[in-house]
Structures are given as structure tokens and as C-alpha cells.
Amino acid sequence: MKKLYLILSISFSLLVLAHCTSNPKPWYADKPYNISPKLLRIDNLMWLQPDSATRELSRFWANYNIDSADAFNKHYFNLLVSEALFKGGYPQSNRKRLLKAVDYFDTTDYWLSARAHYMNGVGLSANDSIIEALGEYLHVLDIMDEHIPTPPHPRFMMLIHCRLGDLFSEQYMQEPAIVCYENALRYNDYSETNPLTRSYLLQDIGFQYDKLQKYDTARYYYNEALRFLPDTTDVLYPKVLFYLAMLDCTSGSDFEHGIVELKRLASQCSESNRDWRYVNIGLIYQEAGPVDSALVYFQKAFDTGINDAMKSFVAEFIYEIYENQGDTLKMTGFAKYLIEKPSNERVSMARVSTLNSMFQDYLTRHQERVQHQNSKQAIIYVTIAVAIILLVVFIIVKLRNKKRTIENQKLQEEKQRLQTDYENSKRQQYEALQNRVKSIFKEKSNNSLPLIINEFKLVYIDFLNKIYLAYPNLSETEKNILILTLLNFRIKEEAVILNLSENTVMKYRSNLKKKVDFDLISSQIR
């Protein structure tokens, strides 16, 4: 049992060692530069309470002579400012300093480098530099893939995948958007984020399937978003209900109910959201009829539109309806509006192709890195497994050898015991025989020879046969003297038993010892 515990403990130690080698220290551990404790506290606060972090940054800026700080803390400070502005919904006012931080962290720290490139991507996206923004976001994923095993900094990884999903969704690239939102959902499960985030991500995924006209899948994700929604007062709740009503209309499952629900939701929504909901209702009527109803809602969206892009977008549909109806006067009015305020340029197929190519290239690189990482882990685990197997084999061999040694020792002890028992039995048998023949001698004296020989043969008949075969030239008298001598009779006693003189017996004994190995024969019966 102790050996089993030893094997398990060693195996556990090896697995812990492998786990530790694949999970590095925090990014700020063992760094050559001196990180400001104040900035580090603000950084930790940034992910939990962005508003509080912004206030702390303001105090830090006001009370800290940033010009006297080292280069690292200057760039670190500007990165935190950029993140605080983003989390607070403000544009990057420190963009030039952020770009310097991007270049600086590329040579000092991968984690801060990833965050700096992420913030640079946010600024590029805000300026409609979509391709450049995607390049920065993918560069962030390359950095993270290269340095940290999954799941690294799950909250940050969730944010970067959300940004990628939003970017692809805005370019009507639903399939890449789904991949990114699903990755964001996976990282969200690793991090302790607001449960509301899960509902938003589920709604985002459902919306992409909606655009792909995979209505059953979209409905599933919309319902899941509602199921995980912790509070129905959140703006997401009516938004998802609106999407579900849209599904009823577009999928044809319950058009009339869907329209009624859409009108109800449109009447309840805020001014900022009402125009695009009017547009969606108009699109449904335009698709399913009647066109006059579509025109009513397009006109409402046009009249309440809060920006030129929305008004231009709706004006195109209104122009198309009047053109089909032959209403030249109204058609001309909207044509004039479209000429003066042209709609935003439609998504460029070339740009979509570029974005898709960039994303596919990243997926290929990511898969190669995953395979490489899996190969390394496989080698580590195979090495550990082999080491454990060898250790187990070694212990088993040692245990078997020890068991064999113990068994051999027991066998030798048993042999020794049997040998001892045999020797004792042989000695007792000899002593008993000796006592009997001595008694016979005392009783019969010179007539005791036949009886003594008979007693000896009863016990050692096989022994005598072997002696006779080994020494066929022995005379009868020599044989008798050999038996009497083996029974420890003295020369005087042998002379009486054989009716011979003592000198004659002595001569017989002397000749007998020359013919046979008397000591060897004697040892075999005593």
C-alpha cells in the first residue's frame, strides 16, 4: 500500500510540474523595470470599476509629476488613460501618446503590447479605418496566442473577440462574426463578468444567424438571451423581443402577430431607437405587402431620423416605391434629396475580400500554433507517462525481486528445517537401533549376531544393498564387522559376537578401512 501511495504522489508531482510550466507568472512578475504601485492598482481596478479607475487616473495625473517618471510608467499611464477613455465612452484624446506606447511596449512587455495594439485598433475603428483596425485586433490575438496558453486573461480575450465580431457584423460578414462572438462567449464563461454580458453575446450570435436567414437557430439564441437576462428592465429585453417579432414576420410563422408586436415595441422605444425600428417594419411590409404600409413606416423613419446616414438609407427605399407607383413628383423630391445627401458607400466587395483573407490567415496561424502547442503538451505528457510507467515498472521489479528473495529465504529456511528434521530423525532412528542391538548383545552375547544383522537390515536394507553393490569383493566376515562397527560396537564386543580374537577383529577392521571409505559410510546412517 505504501508503494502505491508513493507512485501516486510522484505521479501527482510530475503533473503539477507540467501544469506549472504551462502557467506562467503574472505579467508584472520578475520585470527589470519598476512598476508604479499606484498605476498597478489602477490597472486592476480598470477591469472592475472603469469609472473609479478614471477618477484615480485623474488624481494620479494631478498629483504625480509624470515627467519625472521613467519611460515605462509614462507609457503605462497613457495606455491606462486610453483604456479609461474607451470604457467611459469618450474618444481617444491622448492618441499620439498612445501610439508611442504601442511602439514602446512592443519591445518590453507582450501583455501591455497586446493591450496597446487593442486600443490602437479601437481608435482606428472609430476613424473608419476598418482594415487597419482588423490588422491591429488580429495582431493582438497573435501576441496572446504566442505567449499564453488558453484561456489567457479571459476578460480581455472576450473583449477583443467582441470587437472583432462587431467589426465583421458591421461589414455584413456574418460567418466570421459568429466565430468571434462564439469565442467571446467561451471566454466569458472563463471570466467572472456581469451575467448580462452572456445575454448580449447570445443576442449578437442570434442576430448573425438571423441575417443568414437561419431563423430556427436565430430564434434559439434569442430565447437563450432572454433566459439568461437577469433584468427585464435592461434595454436588451425589448430589443430581443423586437428581433423575435421580426422573425415571426420574415419566417412567415405568424406574420400578423409579428406586425402587431413590432408596432407595440416601436411605440414604446426611445426616440434614438424608434427610427431604425420603423425602418425594419417598413422593410417587412415592403417584402410581404402592402407597399402602402411600408411607405408609411419609411416616411416615419425619414421624418424622425436623427442622422443623415439613416435618412439617406430610408430615402432610397421611398424613392424606389414612388418610382414603381409612377408618382413622378414625389420621386423627384427624394431624388433631389439623394443627390444632395448621398447615402454612405455600400460595403466594398474588395474590402470584404481583404478582411476575410486577413481573418482566414489568422485562423490558419492560430490552428498551426494550437497544433504546435498540443504537440509540445503531448510530448510533455508522454514523457511524464513514460517516466511514470518506468517508475512503476522499476517498483514492480523491485517488489518482485524482494518477494522472490523472501520466498527463496523461506524456501532455504524450509529446506534447512526439513534437513534438520531429517538429521534428527536419522539420528533418533540410529540411536533406537543402537539401543535395540545393545540389548540383544547383553541378552544373547555370542549368539546375538543373526539378530543384530537382522535388526540392521530392517532399517538399512537399501543402504546395505548399495554398499554391497559398491564393494562386491567384501567377504561375509568383513560385511559383519562393517555393520557392527557402524553400530558403534567396540572391538572387544565384536570379538565376542563373531567368536574371534580381538587381534583378528583388529586386522579385519584395518583391512576394511583400506577397502571402503568408512567415514563416508558412517556419516550416511548417523
Side-chain angles (χ1 to χ4, degrees), residues 64-87:
Y64 189 84
N65 186 358
I66 198 68
D67 293 331
S68 65
D70 58 27
F72 178 85
N73 283 287
K74 288 180 183 178
H75 292 299
Y76 190 14
F77 176 83
N78 279 293
L79 173 60
L80 294 179
V81 169
S82 180
E83 289 180 336
L85 292 170
F86 164 63
K87 292 178 185 298

Side-chain angles (χ1 to χ4, degrees), residues 299 302 315 318-319 322 327-341:
Q299 189 66 52
F302 182 82
I318 297 175
Y319 175 85
Y322 284 137
D327 194 333
T328 306
L329 181 61
K330 292 181 179 180
M331 182 182 69
T332 303
F334 279 95
K336 182 179 178 181
Y337 176 84
L338 289 171
I339 292 172
E340 293 175 353
K341 297 182 179 294

Side-chain angles (χ1 to χ4, degrees), residues 30-209:
D30 301 330
K31 294 296 182 183
Y33 35 77
N34 183 26
I35 303 174
S36 167
K38 183 75 172 179
L39 289 180
L40 192 55
R41 285 196 298 272
I42 294 173
D43 194 352
N44 293 330
L45 188 63
M46 182 75 69
W47 302 95
L48 302 175
Q49 300 175 350
D51 293 339
S52 300
T54 304
R55 289 195 296 271
E56 288 294 318
L57 281 172
S58 300
R59 295 192 189 101
F60 184 78
W61 180 271
N63 299 322
Y64 189 84
N65 186 358
I66 198 68
D67 293 331
S68 65
D70 58 27
F72 178 85
N73 283 287
K74 288 180 183 178
H75 292 299
Y76 190 14
F77 176 83
N78 279 293
L79 173 60
L80 294 179
V81 169
S82 180
E83 289 180 336
L85 292 170
F86 164 63
K87 292 178 185 298
Y90 302 104
Q92 290 176 350
S93 58
N94 67 332
R95 180 145 186 80
K96 291 183 179 179
R97 291 176 178 173
L98 171 64
L99 292 177
K100 291 182 180 179
V102 172
D103 294 336
Y104 178 80
F105 287 130
D106 277 343
T107 59
T108 56
D109 188 282
Y110 73 88
W111 166 232
L112 294 181
S113 174
R115 287 166 58 180
H117 279 284
Y118 171 71
M119 294 314 305
N120 191 35
V122 170
L124 290 168
S125 181
N127 293 323
D128 293 327
S129 299
I130 304 302
I131 294 177
E132 292 78 2
L134 178 63
E136 285 293 87
Y137 293 150
L138 295 181
H139 184 55
V140 171
L141 294 182
D142 282 330
I143 292 173
M144 300 302 284
D145 286 347
E146 192 69 28
H147 288 87
I148 307 180
T150 304
H153 298 282
R155 183 174 174 82
F156 176 72
M157 295 299 289
M158 180 197 68
L159 291 175
I160 185 65
H161 281 286
C162 278
R163 295 293 297 188
L164 283 166
D166 293 344
L167 184 150
F168 288 127
S169 180
E170 291 166 2
Q171 303 304 309
Y172 302 99
M173 300 171 64
Q174 270 66 53
E175 292 181 355
I178 290 172
V179 172
C180 295
Y181 284 133
E182 287 180 342
N183 285 336
L185 186 63
R186 178 166 57 88
Y187 283 111
N188 178 72
D189 292 339
Y190 287 123
S191 62
E192 297 179 358
T193 57
N194 190 327
L196 185 62
T197 305
R198 183 176 182 83
S199 289
Y200 271 91
L201 288 172
L202 290 167
Q203 176 267 319
D204 286 331
I205 297 173
F207 185 73
Q208 305 311 311
Y209 281 111

Side-chain angles (χ1 to χ4, degrees), residues 100 221 436 498:
K100 291 182 180 179
Y221 279 102
R436 289 199 303 275
L498 295 171

Side-chain angles (χ1 to χ4, degrees), residues 284-390:
I284 291 172
Y285 272 125
Q286 186 183 36
E287 183 71 23
V291 176
D292 289 341
S293 298
L295 187 58
V296 170
Y297 283 96
F298 284 145
Q299 189 66 52
K300 286 183 179 181
F302 182 82
D303 294 338
T304 60
I306 59 175
N307 58 64
D308 291 337
M310 173 63 75
K311 294 172 75 71
S312 299
F313 178 72
V314 176
E316 290 185 359
F317 291 107
I318 297 175
Y319 175 85
E320 183 179 344
I321 291 174
Y322 284 137
E323 184 181 28
N324 292 333
Q325 291 179 345
D327 194 333
T328 306
L329 181 61
K330 292 181 179 180
M331 182 182 69
T332 303
F334 279 95
K336 182 179 178 181
Y337 176 84
L338 289 171
I339 292 172
E340 293 175 353
K341 297 182 179 294
S343 61
N344 292 337
E345 180 184 359
R346 294 187 180 275
V347 178
S348 168
M349 294 303 295
R351 182 169 65 186
V352 169
S353 177
T354 300
L355 294 174
N356 188 63
S357 177
M358 292 171 65
F359 187 63
Q360 292 302 321
D361 288 344
Y362 162 72
L363 291 179
T364 300
R365 293 194 303 273
H366 175 73
Q367 186 62 32
E368 290 174 351
R369 278 191 290 265
V370 168
Q371 291 177 352
H372 179 66
Q373 183 68 22
N374 290 340
S375 298
K376 288 173 62 177
Q377 290 182 348
I379 292 173
I380 293 173
Y381 289 126
V382 167
T383 303
I384 293 173
V386 170
I388 292 173
I389 291 172
L390 291 176

